[in-house]
């Protein structure tokens, strides 16, 4: 996409468009803006590697979106310096820097040291870039569904809501279960939180594909009976669902419009 009008640089959060029909953030942004958007995301890269690719490609006059730092957020000063080097190389004032998100992991919940480090990093980026800083992460957290008990818990933990996180296991219940069952057969499930219909279940032990211990009615949802073949859903801790990627793209498009681009 050497002729792209907008270049977006980042890691897997930028790169991914997993599952049939899903689109990356750059693809969603292209639809919203009618512009060609380059996907400069590579899985696993820290901010320094993203900086080096950016400086090597020398697309300095192109409108630029930077989404870097998730993979080394604990080195906040380094992330700030890498982003600053990218911005300093630009020959245009059309650029945006996106906030670094936390993961839906207990050690990154609100009040934990890692969460505080991410908040401090984003505060520094906001101070440095002003209107060019887009805190899509905070906007996603605030967009939780108050009617969904899991998303209410996500909001309390200060993490991206369930529906905005990438689905990981899409499987099914093998046999029907009643509201009190704490063990059951599935076609595939991991430990942690799953969703069956409107009920959330915290799987605490399993053997192969089968759940052997769990907490029913997790996060204040209602424990109910489920029929064989019912869909089981789990979510990743960090990567976004298609809805999440669309949400981030919309935040970018909104800021572009505010800035008159």
């Amino acid at each position: 996409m050497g002729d792209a009008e907008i270049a977006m640089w980042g890691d897997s959060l930028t790169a991914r468009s997993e599952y049939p029909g899903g689109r990356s953030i750059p693809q969603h942004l292209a639809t919203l803006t009618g512009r060609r958007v380059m996907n400069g995301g590579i899985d696993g890269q820290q901010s320094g590697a993203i900086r080096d690719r950016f400086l090597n490609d020398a697309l300095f006059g192109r409108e630029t979106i930077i989404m870097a730092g998730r993979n080394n957020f604990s080195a906040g000063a380094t992330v700030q310096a890498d982003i600053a080097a990218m911005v300093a190389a630009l020959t245009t004032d059309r650029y945006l820097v996106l906030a670094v998100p936390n993961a839906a992991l207990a050690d990154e919940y609100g009040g934990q040291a890692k969460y505080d480090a991410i908040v401090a990093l984003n505060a520094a980026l906001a101070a440095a870039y002003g209107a060019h800083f887009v805190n899509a992460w905070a906007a996603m957290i605030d967009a939780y569904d108050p009617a969904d008990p899991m998303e209410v818990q996500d909001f309390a933990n200060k993490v991206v809501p369930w529906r905005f996180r990438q689905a990981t296991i899409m499987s099914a219940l093998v046999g029907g279960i009643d509201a009190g069952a704490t063990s059951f057969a599935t076609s595939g499930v991991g430990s942690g939180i799953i969703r069956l219909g409107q009920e959330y279940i915290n799987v605490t032990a399993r053997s192969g594909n089968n759940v052997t211990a769990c907490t029913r009615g997790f996060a204040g949802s209602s424990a109910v009976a489920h029929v064989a073949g019912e869909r089981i859903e789990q979510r990743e801790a960090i990567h976004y669902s298609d809805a999440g990627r669309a949400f981030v793209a919309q935040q970018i498009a909104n800021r572009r419009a505010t800035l008159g681009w």
Side-chain angles (χ1 to χ4, degrees):
M1 295 189 66
D3 62 343
E5 298 168 278
I6 301 172
M8 186 168 182
W9 299 89
D11 49 37
S12 58
L13 289 170
T14 299
R16 295 193 181 187
S17 57
E18 297 147 316
Y19 296 98
R23 297 189 294 167
S24 65
I25 294 171
Q27 287 174 311
H28 279 291
L29 184 62
T31 298
L32 291 170
T33 62
R35 303 290 185 89
R36 296 182 299 276
V37 183
M38 184 191 85
N39 188 336
I42 293 181
D43 284 15
Q45 286 202 326
Q46 297 186 357
S47 58
I50 297 167
R51 174 207 63 205
D52 290 347
R53 285 193 293 114
F54 169 84
L55 295 175
N56 184 65
D57 283 1
L59 304 177
F60 304 142
R62 188 166 300 176
E63 182 178 331
T64 298
I65 301 164
I66 301 168
M67 193 176 186
R70 168 60 212 175
N71 292 318
N72 60 320
F73 69 82
S74 59
T78 297
V79 174
Q80 292 175 59
D82 291 334
I83 292 174
M86 296 173 71
V87 171
L90 291 170
T91 58
T92 175
D93 64 356
R94 287 197 172 200
Y95 72 90
L96 296 173
V97 175
L98 269 64
V100 177
N102 65 338
L105 299 170
D107 64 349
E108 295 189 29
Y109 286 174
Q112 300 301 309
K114 289 183 178 180
Y115 175 86
D116 291 343
I118 287 171
V119 169
L121 172 56
N122 286 326
L125 295 175
Y129 302 111
H132 294 269
F133 176 75
V134 180
N135 199 340
W137 167 58
M140 292 176 89
I141 292 173
D142 288 341
Y144 78 100
D145 181 357
D148 186 316
M150 190 67 235
E151 294 207 3
V152 171
Q153 181 165 304
D154 287 338
F155 179 73
N157 290 330
K158 300 303 180 189
V159 299
V160 169
W162 176 274
R163 74 185 187 282
F164 288 148
R165 301 202 307 270
Q166 180 69 58
T168 54
I169 294 178
M170 307 299 285
S171 56
L173 197 61
V174 170
I177 60 172
D178 62 29
T182 57
S183 61
F184 47 88
T186 81
S187 62
V189 69
S191 297
I193 301 164
I194 65 173
R195 181 173 176 170
L196 266 170
Q198 298 303 306
E199 180 186 358
Y200 291 99
I201 300 170
N202 187 21
V203 176
T204 53
R206 62 191 176 90
S207 177
N209 289 336
N210 300 327
V211 172
T212 56
C214 65
T215 300
R216 299 291 302 275
F218 187 71
S221 62
S222 297
V224 297
H226 299 279
V227 299
E230 193 165 344
R231 175 177 173 239
I232 296 171
E233 178 185 299
Q234 288 188 281
R235 296 278 164 158
E236 279 195 27
I238 179 60
H239 294 110
Y240 300 148
S241 65
D242 198 61
R245 294 189 291 269
F247 186 95
V248 173
Q250 186 65 64
Q251 297 300 305
I252 295 169
N254 291 349
R255 183 57 55 85
R256 291 181 77 258
T258 298
L259 293 171
W261 299 353

